Amino acid sequence: MEGDGFCGGFFQRCKPYIAMISLQFGFAGMNIITKVSLNRGMSHYVLVVYRHAFATAAIAPFALVLERKVRPKITFLMFMQMFVLGLLGPVIDQNLYYAGLKFTSPTYSCAISNMLPAMTFVMAVICRMEKVDIRKVRCQAKVIGTVVTVAGAMLMTLYKGQVINFLGSQYMHHPRNYVPENTTDSAEKDWVKGSILLIIATLAWASFFILQAVTLRKYSAQLSLTAIVCFLGTLQSIAVTFVMEHKPSVWNIGWDMNLLAAAYAGIVSSGITIYVQGIVMQKRGPVFVTAFSPLMMIIVAIMGTFILAEKIYLGAIMGAVLIVIGLYSVLWGKYKEQGEKTIEAVTETETVKCCNGNLETVIEGAETNDIEMQKGEGCKELRVAISVPKA
């Protein structure tokens, strides 16, 4: 029985880690499939619309059934928060991310996305969700990590260097109809443009996490929140697509890679991901949720090199190393901060228990004194009753 209890407790502690690691594999697959679809000519505006339509269709039935009794009422302020969430995530972040992915590569896009924890930390400080005491080592680590992360992203953007060939990657077979990266001089300008788009997309995604954490404090129905955000994102993306794309043919989609990219990205990378991230965020906070992005970069680098013949440059590797170092410097500071909060919480609990114990002792002593006094008064009354007849 004790072994079962230990295993159960260990699994409960590991669940947030297992959930976030699983999501990174889902994200990695989405990057590879989406890159193939975009290179075959699919509009990223249309892809975002179909993606969130699939996400809404997958999540909404579960939200209607499972949360019908616990769903809070939506106020105007809460609806505006959901509207902005749909704008930040589905519209701004994903359209810019797909555009940057089209100009660069899956591995490069994932590496830039590793700026997410540092950006989330900076925005959390601005919104007073994080406190910075520069005299403490953990705060210094978070600040230095943020600076190093930004430096790594700048290095990846401004310096490419020579191509790094992995053993055997040039001999692998690649998907049919796959269009490789542009190797002309215009690719240099596209690379910088794609980098800027990816950085802005990451900033929008960090803003999404901060606002999602704020919204979940008052609207705790995660499935319903996910479905509403995906639905609003679908409507907003349709409006953006009508403005940016004027050919009706861009909406055509068949039983091919485009349909797979939209369905996979919608169900896995939007519906399931937003829901799981919301649950983990309520327990561990937004910084923890963004801590596992380097794993996605490693998975995508391996898959992209051997499946898509992706070119990896020296500057990208150097910048990615700096980003990962800065990332885990921020996470180390966050880990130390969480440990201090745990110690403070335990100390406060013990103090309350001691105070309650002293209070109970005082109450018990007072009750004992009252009983003794009542007994004494009873004895006096008894003695009086006996002595009167003798007189």
Side-chain angles (χ1 to χ4, degrees):
M1 295 296 291
E2 293 181 358
D4 294 340
F6 173 78
C7 292
F10 178 76
F11 178 72
Q12 290 295 327
R13 292 192 297 270
C14 290
K15 279 202 300 187
Y17 297 90
I18 296 173
M20 295 311 303
I21 291 173
S22 300
L23 289 183
Q24 302 314 310
F25 280 92
F27 273 128
M30 184 273 295
N31 275 275
I32 298 298
I33 296 173
T34 301
K35 177 64 175 178
V36 175
S37 179
L38 293 174
N39 280 6
R40 294 180 63 180
M42 186 176 188
S43 169
H44 61 83
Y45 297 106
V46 177
L47 177 58
V48 171
V49 173
Y50 285 138
R51 168 178 176 167
H52 289 90
F54 274 108
T56 305
I59 297 296
F62 293 98
L64 291 174
V65 174
L66 298 179
E67 295 181 344
R68 63 184 184 277
K69 295 182 180 180
V70 298
R71 189 181 301 111
K73 293 183 179 179
I74 300 178
T75 62
F76 177 76
L77 178 61
M78 197 173 295
F79 175 78
M80 291 305 299
Q81 291 177 346
M82 295 175 180
F83 183 86
V84 176
L85 282 173
L87 188 65
L88 287 173
V91 179
I92 298 176
D93 166 62
Q94 291 176 18
N95 274 300
L96 295 182
Y97 183 85
Y98 285 152
L101 177 63
K102 190 172 183 178
F103 288 132
T104 57
S105 68
T107 302
Y108 187 88
S109 302
C110 294
I112 290 292
S113 298
N114 286 333
M115 294 180 62
L116 183 60
M119 287 186 174
T120 305
F121 167 70
V122 172
M123 299 192 68
V125 171
I126 294 174
C127 298
R128 297 184 179 181
M129 298 174 67
E130 293 273 350
K131 295 181 180 179
V132 177
D133 187 355
I134 202 64
R135 294 170 298 180
K136 295 184 178 180
V137 178
R138 59 176 175 81
C139 294
Q140 295 173 3
K142 290 193 284 188
V143 173
I144 294 173
T146 302
V147 174
V148 172
T149 300
V150 174
M154 295 300 297
L155 178 62
M156 293 183 68
T157 303
L158 302 176
Y159 174 71
K160 290 182 71 173
Q162 62 182 0
V163 177
I164 305 298
N165 291 318
F166 288 93
L167 181 63
S169 61
Q170 64 269 31
Y171 304 110
M172 299 299 293
H173 296 285
H174 308 112
R176 186 175 58 183
N177 298 330
Y178 173 71
V179 181
E181 296 177 36
N182 186 11
T183 56
T184 62
D185 294 337
S186 63
E188 296 292 336
K189 295 181 180 179
D190 290 343
W191 197 268
V192 176
K193 185 191 303 182
S195 301
I196 295 173
L197 291 173
L198 290 171
I199 291 173
I200 298 175
T202 306
L203 180 62
W205 193 233
S207 304
F208 179 91
F209 276 115
I210 296 298
L211 184 57
Q212 184 185 20
V214 173
T215 306
L216 283 171
R217 294 175 182 174
K218 295 182 179 180
Y219 196 87
S220 57
Q222 297 98 337
L223 280 172
S224 299
L225 179 63
T226 303
I228 294 171
V229 170
C230 290
F231 177 70
L232 292 175
T234 303
L235 298 180
Q236 294 167 355
S237 299
I238 291 174
V240 172
T241 305
F242 277 132
V243 173
M244 302 302 296
E245 299 285 356
H246 304 288
K247 297 180 179 179
S249 60
V250 298
W251 294 94
N252 295 335
I253 190 170
W255 294 93
D256 53 9
M257 183 63 70
N258 295 344
L259 178 63
L260 176 62
Y264 183 93
I267 297 172
V268 176
S269 300
S270 287
I272 296 176
T273 294
I274 295 177
Y275 171 64
V276 173
Q277 285 176 345
I279 293 176
V280 177
M281 191 180 301
Q282 284 185 318
K283 297 181 179 179
R284 296 300 184 95
V287 178
F288 179 87
V289 171
T290 59
F292 296 85
S293 51
L295 177 61
M296 175 180 62
M297 179 183 66
I298 296 171
I299 299 170
V300 170
I302 296 173
M303 295 174 64
T305 301
F306 291 99
I307 298 177
L308 303 179
E310 178 185 339
K311 294 180 179 179
I312 298 181
Y313 295 92
L314 178 62
I317 294 177
M318 294 170 61
V321 170
L322 284 178
I323 288 176
V324 172
I325 292 173
L327 167 68
Y328 283 104
S329 178
V330 174
L331 294 177
W332 181 85
K334 188 67 179 177
Y335 171 77
K336 290 295 183 181
E337 179 183 1
Q338 190 68 31
E340 291 182 5
K341 289 182 178 179
T342 303
I343 294 173
E344 291 177 358
V346 172
T347 304
E348 290 179 359
T349 303
E350 292 178 351
T351 304
V352 170
K353 287 182 178 179
C354 291
C355 293
N356 290 338
N358 293 335
L359 182 60
E360 290 175 358
T361 303
V362 172
I363 293 173
E364 289 177 357
E367 291 177 350
T368 304
N369 292 335
D370 291 341
I371 293 172
E372 291 178 352
M373 291 175 65
Q374 290 175 2
K375 288 181 178 179
E377 291 176 358
C379 293
K380 289 180 181 178
E381 291 176 358
L382 181 59
R383 284 195 293 269
V384 171
I386 293 173
S387 59
V388 169
K390 289 182 179 181

